[in-house]
Amino acid sequence: MKLWEKGAYLVNGKLSEDAAGSNAADGAKKTLAYSILQKHNTSGDDKKLKIKFDKITSHDITYVGIIQTARASGLEKFPLPYVLTNCHNSLCAVGGTINEDDHMFGLTCAQKYGGIYVPPHQAVIHQFAREMLAECGGMILGSDSHTRYGALGTMAIGEGGGELAKQLLNKTYDVAYPGVVAIYLTGSPVPGVGPQDVALAIIKAVFDNGYVKNKVMEFVGPGISNLSADFRIGVDVMTTETTCLSSIWRTDSKVEEWYAIHGRPQAYKELNPGEGAYYDGAIEIDLGEIRPMIAMPFHPSCAYTIEEVNKNLMSILEETEKRAKVSFGDKVNFTLKNKVIDGKLYVDQGVIAGCAGGGYENICAAADILKGKDSGNGKFLLNVYPASMPVYKALMENGAFSALVDAGAIVKTAFCGPCFGAGDTPANGAFSIRHSTRNFPNREGSKIQNGQLSSVALMDARSIAATAANKGFLTPATEYDTEFSSKKYFFDKAIYEKRVYDSKGVAHPEVEIQFGPNIKDWPEQKELGQDLLVKIVSEIHDPVTTTDELIPSGETSSFRSNPLGLAEFTLSRKDPAYVGRAKAVRDLTDDIKAEIKTVVENLGKKDAELGKLAANAQTGSSIFAVKPGDGSAREQAASCQRVLGASANIANEYATKRYRSNLINWGMLPFIYKDGDKNLPFANDDYVFIPGIRKMVEEKLPSIKAYAVKKDGTVNEFELSVGDLTDDERKIILSGCLINFYRS
């Protein structure tokens, strides 16, 4: 795999450092990304985009909050196709009635406002979108970070709920034109190598260096023709883990066949970049060199070949233990060395599931490997979740399920739970291998605050099946000389016609929305004051802080329709004291009032005017984190802080655009402190005073002076900035949140 150090042209189907008669500015307009983005851009400025999407989609963790936001802002009808799927909070015994209450809210909103409702267990969000929404040259916005349909010619973006609420209110998705990086594929995968192997190899190469951060990955090259549509989809969905903005692939007869199989031939058209297309960077990948991969805990970028792990087992396990120290400190003693038996790594569980693993070809390949074999009756257990009911039916009819069940696997219905800790949580100390999307700390469902810790490694379905055939000992699929059946797929659209509610865009305003007792309105938020005094209530020095650490997944998901209830879980796995500290500031307890009085006095000693301004300043809280926001698009990572009284985040940088956008949409200042995390001018429990903050936002000032007031009374002056903000983003922050902005 080669990463180009500079830009590249695509000339006669090959990458080149230059193109005769072409320049970078003209060549950049010949990319697929440029043509699709400009087709959907309403600004008239090809550098500052205002995108209107063709369709949007959400699942049952996010759609209640989105619709509640839009309703509070004046929603009357869904102005574009909006699909509400139910694949996250599908376990309706969890939390009493509240999950099914959310589903009934979704159904009645689809009826009232003119949407599409997909009942639980019918399909995971992204499989339904692939099967029923994607179209070549289109754009889809989803409130799930793995909204990626580029392999089908659709540019899709995963964002927080605020961005979907904007689309429902006929507003736009505003973003600077992104860089575009060519992913140039050659060769063919060797038997036993699957899409997750290719994806993990890419993630390993680009995550740490930020090569594609907030850019569009454009897949080109002759190697694409050697991949099935399902294989491409499996690579594409994992591009989210590179922190790119979106993805797009050239299309061909295999994608045309895919649309025909799904009964939508009109959705296909051939997409190819123009001759001399220019890319801001390029990655060359020979698919024939990729080998079965494993991403060890606790990130998809912690990837190795399985052969490498088996050869250097103890040293790689030591590296994993060091990563655990970064995430958990001394709270737990994490090790996987106790999984080594006779020099081999034993795993306790295998899962093939969701938008990444649950595809038809992945499960067929796993069944081919396991046919006639036995996964044993020990601790190891294999669970398989097809991504949709049409896929389920096809696997049932072609014999794949029979082979899996005969081998000891358990087949379940479409559900995203294993990906975020709402299903298949392993035993304490157990190690799970999964063809799913993420393996962040505790994402599999264990609770460090209760002394529980299990962990996940990511692998392709093929090598998971090979490991199952080897009774749980880590094994690459290339060690089995398997004859892959490549069974043809037959899609039965009648399954959806019988169960999915499709309004066909017709609203029925007479329908009453069905609310459950857990569905609560968003608390009122105040507009930004002239001056701001914040208390630092958590300080995180991990290299990256994931959204799972900001607001845990799994058991919290049932509370995501209840802003105050969910907020009680904020940072619970990373900093359990955070909620109490933040609420004390929000509620201005007597202790906080006394602290503020002392802070004002100390600022007054430095400068009388500063003290006077601070005495009347708006108060709030903030966290400091080095690089927060990697991972999920869930807006709750920001909104939970907001309802607890937060006014800002301070960071060296933000891991993703979508987390920063979530902060802005909830009226929080996305402060940047550029001088690293060593020798910070403030610490946890200190106060930071930012005079003239409203003026800074209104007048588009590049930075502002801030004053940290230490416990000993010392006042440190330093600089903060907020980066580029659109005019609407500035208005949202000034208004206090997106709801306030659109309501006014």
Side-chain angles (χ1 to χ4, degrees):
M1 191 176 299
K2 175 186 174 183
L3 275 62
W4 283 48
E5 294 181 1
K6 54 184 177 180
Y9 292 89
L10 192 64
V11 181
N12 295 323
K14 295 182 179 180
L15 294 177
S16 173
E17 291 185 2
D18 52 53
S22 184
N23 57 56
D26 292 337
K29 295 179 180 180
K30 297 178 181 180
T31 63
L32 289 172
Y34 183 88
S35 63
I36 295 173
L37 285 168
Q38 297 307 331
K39 174 186 170 185
H40 293 82
N41 179 26
T42 64
S43 72
D45 183 341
D46 66 357
K47 300 298 183 186
K48 295 181 179 180
L49 308 180
K50 289 182 174 292
I51 300 295
K52 283 206 168 184
F53 289 84
D54 301 305
K55 300 162 187 173
I56 61 175
T57 184
S58 298
H59 51 60
D60 47 349
I61 277 179
T62 56
Y63 65 61
V64 176
I66 291 165
I67 295 172
Q68 289 286 72
T69 299
R71 288 179 68 246
S73 306
L75 175 71
E76 294 180 356
K77 181 185 183 297
F78 295 158
L80 74 172
Y82 185 17
V83 176
L84 310 177
T85 63
N86 295 277
C87 52
H88 280 59
N89 283 346
S90 304
L91 300 180
C92 296
V94 178
T97 71
I98 59 181
N99 286 349
E100 188 63 5
D101 289 342
D102 286 358
H103 299 161
M104 291 303 97
F105 175 94
L107 174 59
T108 53
C109 284
Q111 293 168 338
K112 185 178 185 70
Y113 297 120
I116 301 166
Y117 173 85
V118 183
H121 304 287
Q122 290 296 304
V124 302
I125 178 174
H126 304 308
Q127 187 66 14
F128 186 86
R130 294 162 187 155
E131 294 170 351
M132 304 302 292
L133 302 182
E135 57 185 347
C136 292
M139 288 193 73
I140 295 175
L141 182 67
S143 59
D144 183 272
S145 50
H146 291 96
T147 306
R148 292 284 188 270
Y149 316 126
L152 297 174
T154 302
M155 188 175 289
I157 298 175
E159 280 282 357
E163 294 300 329
L164 276 82
K166 289 179 185 177
Q167 296 290 309
L168 292 177
L169 297 167
N170 284 306
K171 306 301 180 181
T172 56
Y173 176 76
D174 301 346
V175 63
Y177 183 78
V180 184
V181 175
I183 314 300
Y184 189 81
L185 304 181
T186 60
S188 300
V190 301
V193 166
Q196 187 81 325
D197 299 315
V198 177
L200 293 177
I202 295 172
I203 295 163
K204 178 181 178 67
V206 304
F207 178 78
D208 284 341
N209 58 28
Y211 192 81
V212 297
K213 181 179 175 181
N214 292 332
K215 298 176 182 177
V216 176
M217 298 173 72
E218 185 157 313
F219 286 77
V220 295
I224 290 177
S225 299
N226 300 324
L227 303 178
S228 69
D230 247 22
F231 197 110
R232 301 176 203 184
I233 287 167
V235 177
D236 186 61
V237 71
M238 291 297 292
T239 59
T240 294
E241 303 311 318
T242 67
T243 69
C244 74
L245 178 72
S246 187
S247 63
I248 191 67
W249 297 53
R250 71 170 181 84
T251 62
D252 57 16
S253 59
K254 291 183 179 178
V255 176
E256 183 176 21
E257 180 188 29
W258 196 93
Y259 278 115
I261 288 170
H262 289 82
R264 298 193 297 120
Q266 73 283 359
Y268 175 76
K269 68 178 179 181
E270 186 175 345
L271 300 178
N272 283 299
E275 179 67 14
Y278 176 79
Y279 297 93
D280 301 286
I283 305 170
E284 295 182 68
I285 303 168
D286 181 348
L287 293 166
E289 293 182 355
I290 304 294
R291 291 297 178 267
M293 303 287 291
I294 179 170
M296 296 293 284
F298 294 94
H299 197 276
S301 64
C302 302
Y304 311 83
T305 65
I306 295 176
E307 181 183 18
E308 183 183 1
V309 170
N310 285 336
K311 277 186 178 179
N312 305 289
L313 187 53
M314 298 311 289
S315 63
I316 289 174
L317 294 184
E318 285 176 7
E319 290 176 12
T320 305
E321 289 178 5
K322 290 176 183 177
R323 285 194 294 273
K325 282 287 185 186
V326 172
S327 293
F328 305 124
D330 296 322
K331 297 175 186 175
V332 292
N333 183 24
F334 174 83
T335 185
L336 290 176
K337 291 177 182 174
N338 57 357
K339 301 296 178 187
V340 179
I341 302 174
D342 297 329
K344 299 176 183 178
L345 184 61
Y346 180 78
V347 300
D348 301 283
Q349 181 194 66
V351 179
I352 301 169
C355 59
Y360 176 79
E361 287 185 8
N362 288 329
I363 297 176
C364 282
D368 289 337
I369 291 169
L370 281 166
K371 188 173 182 178
K373 299 181 179 68
D374 177 6
S375 61
N377 59 5
K379 286 192 294 184
F380 181 83
L381 179 65
L382 175 62
N383 290 332
V384 179
Y385 295 78
S388 72
M389 197 53 73
V391 171
Y392 188 105
K393 183 181 180 184
L395 293 167
M396 184 169 57
E397 291 178 343
N398 73 13
F401 278 178
S402 180
L404 290 167
V405 173
D406 283 347
I410 297 173
V411 176
K412 302 184 179 182
T413 51
F415 180 38
C416 296
C419 186
F420 69 97
D424 294 292
T425 301
N428 183 52
F431 182 42
S432 178
I433 52 174
R434 302 187 175 190
H435 192 157
S436 59
T437 56
R438 291 196 172 122
N439 60 336
F440 296 164
N442 301 119
R443 189 175 171 92
E444 79 296 337
S446 60
K447 298 181 185 179
I448 187 173
Q449 66 269 36
N450 292 350
Q452 307 164 3
L453 181 60
S454 52
S455 57
V456 166
L458 301 182
M459 285 169 49
D460 189 83
R462 293 150 189 79
S463 291
I464 292 173
T467 300
N470 201 14
K471 307 290 193 296
F473 287 98
L474 184 66
T475 306
T478 47
E479 286 194 8
Y480 283 89
D481 186 17
T482 304
E483 184 176 338
F484 291 99
S485 58
S486 302
K487 295 173 179 174
K488 186 173 176 61
Y489 178 56
F490 297 94
F491 175 77
D492 184 357
K493 66 177 182 179
I495 293 172
Y496 291 150
E497 290 172 347
K498 293 172 182 175
R499 287 295 303 131
V500 171
Y501 172 79
D502 186 351
S503 70
K504 308 295 184 184
V506 178
H508 296 279
E510 73 278 5
V511 172
E512 293 290 330
I513 299 174
Q514 184 171 325
F515 290 88
N518 187 59
I519 297 174
K520 305 293 184 184
D521 292 331
W522 292 108
E524 292 288 334
Q525 301 298 333
K526 295 179 181 179
E527 67 176 41
L528 182 64
Q530 297 296 329
D531 311 296
L532 183 64
L533 178 65
V534 297
K535 183 176 183 180
I536 306 299
V537 289
S538 187
E539 184 180 355
I540 305 170
H541 290 270
D542 294 2
V544 178
T545 304
T546 69
T547 46
D548 283 38
E549 291 170 308
L550 292 166
I551 183 66
S553 54
E555 86 279 8
T556 67
S557 63
S558 293
F559 294 92
R560 292 203 182 142
S561 303
N562 183 340
L564 291 171
L566 180 64
E568 295 294 326
F569 294 93
T570 312
L571 279 170
S572 58
R573 294 177 182 171
K574 197 70 191 171
D575 184 357
Y578 166 80
V579 171
R581 291 193 193 112
K583 286 167 73 173
V585 178
R586 180 195 67 188
D587 299 339
L588 285 175
T589 64
D590 290 342
D591 287 344
I592 295 297
K593 288 178 181 177
E595 290 177 1
I596 290 174
K597 182 179 179 182
T598 302
V599 166
V600 168
E601 290 171 355
N602 288 324
L603 283 166
K605 290 175 185 176
K606 180 179 178 64
D607 185 307
E609 184 63 21
L610 280 180
K612 184 178 178 181
L613 292 173
N616 297 293
Q618 186 177 66
T619 56
S621 63
S622 178
I623 66 168
F624 169 80
V626 174
K627 190 178 179 181
D630 181 35
S632 173
R634 70 177 75 111
E635 67 185 276
Q636 293 90 349
S639 66
C640 282
Q641 295 178 55
R642 184 61 167 159
V643 301
L644 290 171
S647 301
N649 274 194
I650 303 176
N652 296 146
E653 65 175 302
Y654 293 95
T656 56
K657 174 203 170 295
R658 55 184 175 267
Y659 177 68
R660 183 175 179 271
S661 294
N662 287 336
L663 293 175
I664 293 166
N665 284 332
W666 281 103
M668 297 169 66
L669 290 146
F671 283 130
I672 298 169
Y673 175 70
K674 295 181 178 178
D675 293 335
D677 70 322
K678 307 300 181 188
N679 301 314
L680 287 171
F682 53 82
N684 202 18
D685 278 340
D686 289 344
Y687 283 79
V688 174
F689 179 50
I690 311 107
I693 184 60
R694 189 174 182 91
K695 179 181 178 182
M696 177 205 186
V697 177
E698 288 175 334
E699 299 184 6
K700 304 181 181 180
L701 303 179
S703 63
I704 193 167
K705 285 184 180 179
Y707 301 86
V709 184
K710 308 286 290 179
K711 286 288 185 183
D712 63 3
T714 303
V715 177
N716 296 327
E717 184 177 318
F718 64 104
E719 196 108 337
L720 289 173
S721 62
V722 292
D724 292 333
L725 294 170
T726 68
D727 288 344
D728 274 0
E729 286 175 334
R730 292 178 187 278
K731 291 173 184 175
I732 289 167
I733 289 173
L734 293 170
S735 298
C737 66
L738 179 131
I739 293 174
N740 292 356
F741 172 53
Y742 287 126
R743 183 187 287 152
S744 63

